[in-house]
Short mmCIF file of all heavy atoms in Angstrom, two decimals:
data_model
loop_
_atom_site.label_atom_id
_atom_site.label_comp_id
_atom_site.label_asym_id
_atom_site.label_seq_id
_atom_site.Cartn_x
_atom_site.Cartn_y
_atom_site.Cartn_z
N GLY A 27 -54.72 59.37 44.81
CA GLY A 27 -53.40 59.86 45.16
C GLY A 27 -53.38 61.38 45.24
O GLY A 27 -54.42 62.03 45.12
N THR A 31 -55.63 59.41 40.05
CA THR A 31 -56.54 58.40 40.61
C THR A 31 -56.50 57.16 39.74
O THR A 31 -56.18 57.23 38.54
CB THR A 31 -58.00 58.90 40.68
OG1 THR A 31 -58.52 59.05 39.37
CG2 THR A 31 -58.10 60.19 41.46
N ILE A 56 -58.90 47.73 29.43
CA ILE A 56 -59.92 46.68 29.53
C ILE A 56 -59.26 45.43 30.10
O ILE A 56 -58.35 44.87 29.50
CB ILE A 56 -60.56 46.39 28.16
CG1 ILE A 56 -61.08 47.67 27.49
CG2 ILE A 56 -61.66 45.34 28.30
CD1 ILE A 56 -62.13 48.42 28.26
N GLY A 75 -57.32 43.59 27.12
CA GLY A 75 -56.00 43.91 26.61
C GLY A 75 -55.95 45.24 25.87
O GLY A 75 -54.87 45.78 25.64
N GLU A 76 -57.10 45.78 25.50
CA GLU A 76 -57.11 47.06 24.78
C GLU A 76 -57.06 48.23 25.76
O GLU A 76 -57.53 48.14 26.89
CB GLU A 76 -58.35 47.16 23.89
CG GLU A 76 -58.32 46.12 22.77
CD GLU A 76 -59.35 46.39 21.72
OE1 GLU A 76 -59.28 47.43 21.05
OE2 GLU A 76 -60.24 45.52 21.57
N LYS A 104 -56.14 64.25 38.72
CA LYS A 104 -57.14 64.99 39.47
C LYS A 104 -57.44 66.30 38.76
O LYS A 104 -56.56 66.89 38.13
CB LYS A 104 -56.66 65.26 40.89
CG LYS A 104 -56.63 63.99 41.74
CD LYS A 104 -55.98 64.25 43.06
CE LYS A 104 -56.98 64.19 44.17
NZ LYS A 104 -56.33 64.37 45.49
N ASP A 116 -62.74 53.37 50.34
CA ASP A 116 -63.30 52.61 51.47
C ASP A 116 -62.59 51.29 51.60
O ASP A 116 -62.34 50.64 50.67
CB ASP A 116 -64.79 52.35 51.25
CG ASP A 116 -65.62 53.61 51.25
OD1 ASP A 116 -65.26 54.56 51.97
OD2 ASP A 116 -66.62 53.64 50.54
#
Side-chain angles (χ1 to χ4, degrees):
T31 68
I56 307 300
E76 294 192 63
K104 289 173 111 177
D116 294 328

